[in-house]
Structure formats: C-alpha cells, structure tokens
Amino acid sequence: MTPIEELELLLRPAGGGLYLVSTGRAEQERLQQRLYGAKSASEVEARFRDALGRIAEAKAIVLGIPSDVGAGFRRGANLGPQAIRSALLEELPAFPERAAELGVVDIGDVFVVPQLLHDEMLSESQKAATRASLYPSVPEAVRATLPVSPLSMAERALDLVFELNPRVAPVVLGGDHSTAWPVVSALFRARRGERWGVVQPDAHTDLLEHRLGIKICFATWSWHINELFGRDGRLVQVGTRASRHERGHWESSLGVRQFWAEECNRDPSGVIDAIIAHLQERGVTGVYFSNDIDGTDSSWADATGTPEPGGLDPTFVVALIRRLGKTVGMIGGDVMEVAPPLRDRPDSSERTVSLAVRYLRETFGAILGQPV
C-alpha cells in the first residue's frame, strides 16, 4: 500500500472527520462543498484525493483532528475544526484559491471514533472490531496494521505526510490539546537531528506525567514533548497562570521555560524579546507554535473547555507569532481547544472562533512569509 492509499483510509475530506449520520450531516456536506468548490459528495471525494496527491509539492498542509476525547470536564472542541474552517471561508471566501497560490494543501480530517483516544488504551478485541468497521474492504493482513483511535491515526497520517514531504509545515486544527501530541511526535521523527522547539501559549502547564493513569491527554502532552527534547529548555510556555505549583517548580524540576501571563501583560515587548533570546541561546532554528486558545484572556476567548481570566491579549499573541516567523522561523503550528458549543455569553462562540481564525491566518503568514 502506498502512502497516499493509506492516507485515503485514515482521513476524510475536510470537515468530514466527525461521524454524522443524520443530525448535522447536511451542514457538514455544505461546508465540504464550499471548501472544495464542489457540487456533490462524489466531487468532494475526488478533490480530496487530488489534494492528497499534492502533498509532495506543498509548503504547508492543513489537518483537522476533531477529537475532544482527551479533554477535561467541559467538552466541545471536537467541533473546533469545522467551526474554524467555516468562519475562515466567511472571512475570506477566496481562501481555497489563495491557499493554492501559496502552496497550502488541506488534506482533510482524521476520522474520529468519538469513544476512542489512543490505540495503547485498547484491547486487541476492540481494535479488531473497530478495524473491521473502519476498513471493511482492506485485506485482513493489512487491516491488522492500521490504527483506529484519533491520536494514533493522526500520528500515522503525519508520518506518511512527512514520508512524502519531509519539510512540509503541518498546520493542525484541534480538538483538545492532546491532539498536538501526534503532530510533535511525528515532527520529532521527521526532523531528527535538528534543534527545533515548541512555543505554547496556554493558561495551563499540561505538564503532568499522566492523569488518572492516562498517558496522553490535554493535561499531559507537554510533559511527553519535554521528555523528547531532553528537558533542555526548548519547550517554552507563554501565558501560564492556572497551576497548583509556582513557576519555579516547573522550571527547576523539568527544565521548561515559562513566561507567566502577569509578566507578559506587564511588559509585552520585553517578554517577546526574552522569548526570542532564550530560543536563540539554545540554538533553536525553528518552532512549532502550539496555540491553546485559553492562553488568551477569557474576555476574548471563553468558548473553550477551561477559560481563564488574566490571560494574554490577542495583540501580544499576534506580535509573538510574527516575531517568531521573522527571527527564529516557524515549522508548523496549531489552534487548539476552540469549543463552539460552550457559550458562557451570547457571543462567546462567534468571538472565540473569530479569534481562532485570526491566529490561524497569522500562523500561515509566519510559516510562509506572506499574508493569508
């Protein structure tokens, strides 16, 4: 099986990663037809397959991972990718054409079985049953090698993408923040030997080794990334403010570099200078920008699982993205934890999703060196 053939099994056309049979299905199909400039489901499928064929020449790929199985007690981030894509098209109807000009290829969504998270958590019988449902026409010997859970499927899909194009920049739409793990894990293999790092705007540290026995979830993924880096300071967290430990605990015990929200708000330009200097001192030659929307103050972004006051101003986040792109270089990024159903105020969803689109466009601009 070729990489493209396997990607066709693991992914669905953009907007199609959510399993919908009746409720919401018509809206999903309308979005897909707008994204692909198509008039039918069969035309959407054909253009999706054409997009996979353009991975090898792409400068950046877009991947949706509509899973919130790794979240906390407030869910809804599974609807983030669909909402962000829809709002992007409202704001920039010509985005598909502009993306083609810039070498950006939307490769679709990981197909999500909403009760699953990672294959390591499943029995062999459950994996076999889900494989039979997802891949019924695949020969048994091949089927037995395929992943079934969103994190495992995303990681495998990105390994295949990097096999086709090792230098392509992944831009991922989450999903809860656990969906950043497969991206960074795959990047770590694809760019082995390079000194790249992660900059993570986030209200929370996500630095637990495990949570209730779960290895990878929204509260643990950063710990595992930091271990990949050898605790050498290449994980930089920005906007931290919700932690049961003080800053010194994390920096002294794990070697992570943190810039807490209070200092970012007190001296925005000075903190950005310090972030750049820190990365350059450690020889970092590119960053993956993992942008949890709750890093931003909840007055701007409260349609999320864990909104927190006292956070970052959007102008600071935008300035940081731009500086990273110009000085260190950006090798990929994401927008995470956008949960449109969580409306604490009447305009919560619209305001949060609009900000997510702004961050997404800025991330593209930092990666490509051109506005989107």
Side-chain angles (χ1 to χ4, degrees):
M1 187 162 46
T2 69
I4 296 294
E5 289 170 339
E6 188 170 347
L7 285 169
E8 289 175 353
L9 294 173
L10 300 174
L11 305 180
R12 298 293 186 274
L18 294 171
Y19 179 59
L20 301 176
V21 177
S22 54
T23 304
R25 179 65 177 165
E27 180 183 352
Q28 184 183 68
E29 290 178 345
R30 285 194 295 270
L31 170 61
Q32 290 179 316
Q33 289 176 19
R34 291 174 63 202
L35 285 168
Y36 288 99
K39 296 181 180 180
S40 66
S42 61
E43 193 175 348
V44 166
E45 187 69 27
R47 297 193 179 189
F48 160 65
R49 293 172 186 270
D50 175 70
L52 295 182
R54 291 185 277 117
I55 291 172
E57 306 302 324
K59 294 180 180 177
I61 58 99
V62 180
L63 176 66
I65 311 179
S67 169
D68 61 7
V69 184
F73 78 103
R74 298 204 330 164
R75 303 295 178 93
N78 63 323
L79 297 177
Q82 182 168 307
I84 293 169
R85 283 191 176 107
S86 295
L88 177 60
L89 286 175
E90 291 294 330
E91 185 175 305
L92 190 65
F95 175 74
E97 293 78 15
R98 179 60 175 157
E101 292 173 5
L102 295 172
V104 176
V105 177
D106 193 328
I107 66 170
D109 287 357
V110 171
F111 182 72
V112 174
V113 178
Q115 289 77 28
L116 306 184
L117 180 58
H118 196 288
D119 283 10
E120 288 184 2
M121 302 168 65
L122 302 178
S123 66
E124 290 302 318
S125 61
Q126 182 61 65
K127 285 187 283 189
T130 305
R131 285 179 180 131
S133 178
L134 295 181
Y135 316 116
S137 62
V138 177
E140 178 58 35
V142 176
R143 183 193 304 169
T145 69
L146 296 173
V148 297
S149 305
L151 299 188
S152 302
M153 294 170 78
E155 191 164 358
R156 177 58 184 160
L158 286 163
D159 280 341
L160 294 167
V161 166
F162 292 132
E163 182 179 335
L164 293 165
N165 186 345
R167 308 301 297 177
V168 72
V171 178
V172 173
L173 307 178
D176 72 74
H177 218 154
S178 70
T179 60
W181 163 254
V183 194
V184 178
S185 179
L187 266 174
F188 187 76
R189 289 185 290 277
R191 292 179 175 262
R192 189 175 296 277
E194 298 182 31
R195 284 197 61 80
W196 58 278
V198 171
V199 174
Q200 176 194 349
D202 203 322
H204 313 90
T205 67
D206 299 353
L207 285 170
L208 299 179
E209 183 176 356
H210 53 79
R211 185 176 191 265
L212 299 174
I214 303 301
K215 179 180 176 181
I216 302 292
C217 68
F218 78 121
T220 68
W221 73 279
S222 293
W223 188 92
H224 294 280
I225 286 167
N226 199 42
E227 293 300 293
L228 289 180
F229 289 156
R231 303 187 180 187
D232 64 358
R234 285 186 286 158
L235 172 59
V236 178
Q237 298 184 321
V238 186
T240 318
R241 58 195 183 278
S243 171
R244 61 193 175 100
H245 296 293
E246 295 183 355
R247 171 177 176 171
H249 168 81
W250 303 110
E251 292 193 329
S252 64
S253 63
L254 294 178
V256 63
R257 183 69 167 94
Q258 292 178 331
F259 295 86
W260 284 47
E262 184 276 330
E263 64 182 309
C264 296
N265 294 332
R266 185 179 67 248
D267 183 15
S269 60
V271 167
I272 290 176
D273 288 343
I275 292 169
I276 300 301
H278 171 81
L279 293 167
Q280 291 176 335
E281 287 168 3
R282 276 146 189 80
V284 171
T285 57
V287 299
Y288 180 82
F289 193 77
S290 192
N291 191 356
D292 189 325
I293 202 76
D294 72 33
T296 301
D297 188 81
S298 57
S299 63
W300 295 92
D302 61 335
T304 186
T306 48
E308 299 284 355
L312 303 174
D313 189 283
T315 58
F316 171 88
V317 179
V318 168
L320 176 58
I321 292 171
R322 292 178 178 178
R323 276 288 298 280
L324 288 169
K326 290 177 181 177
T327 57
V328 181
M330 199 171 287
I331 64 171
D334 60 47
V335 182
M336 296 289 173
E337 297 282 358
V338 175
L342 300 180
R343 292 177 174 270
D344 293 337
R345 289 174 284 179
D347 64 342
S348 293
S349 178
E350 292 78 7
R351 185 177 56 254
T352 305
V353 172
S354 176
L355 180 61
V357 170
R358 182 182 179 188
Y359 287 160
L360 177 63
R361 294 181 68 178
E362 291 289 346
T363 301
F364 277 130
I367 291 169
L368 301 168
Q370 297 185 59
V372 174

